[in-house]
Amino acid sequence: LDAAHRLLVDLLGDRGEAVETVLRDRLAEHAAAQAGRERDAAAAVLDRPELAPDAASTLRLRLAVIKGLT
């Protein structure tokens, strides 16, 4: 992201620093929200009592990875 940082500062001067902070914060918020949606979707599938335990192993692994991101 150094090239993007330099571009913002070159184009906007000191305001580029502030813009970068806002954009980085928004990106982090969107990433966290998406990870949360994926977590909720995986959890909804795993909450079904009719789901066989062996069929859920891959989904449980995916959910564990997603939980690590949130």
Side-chain angles (χ1 to χ4, degrees), residues 7-70:
L7 177 65
L8 283 172
V9 171
D10 288 348
L11 290 174
L12 303 174
D14 291 337
R15 284 186 41 209
E17 299 279 345
V19 169
E20 178 187 19
T21 300
V22 169
L23 292 173
R24 182 181 292 135
D25 290 346
R26 285 185 184 172
L27 179 60
E29 289 170 8
H30 287 292
Q34 183 61 38
R37 285 189 291 273
E38 289 294 323
R39 181 196 60 227
D40 294 345
V45 170
L46 291 171
D47 284 343
R48 296 181 182 172
E50 67 273 8
L51 185 63
D54 58 331
S57 62
T58 303
L59 292 173
R60 291 189 199 289
L61 175 61
R62 179 177 176 207
L63 182 58
V65 170
I66 292 169
K67 282 183 178 179
L69 296 175
T70 57

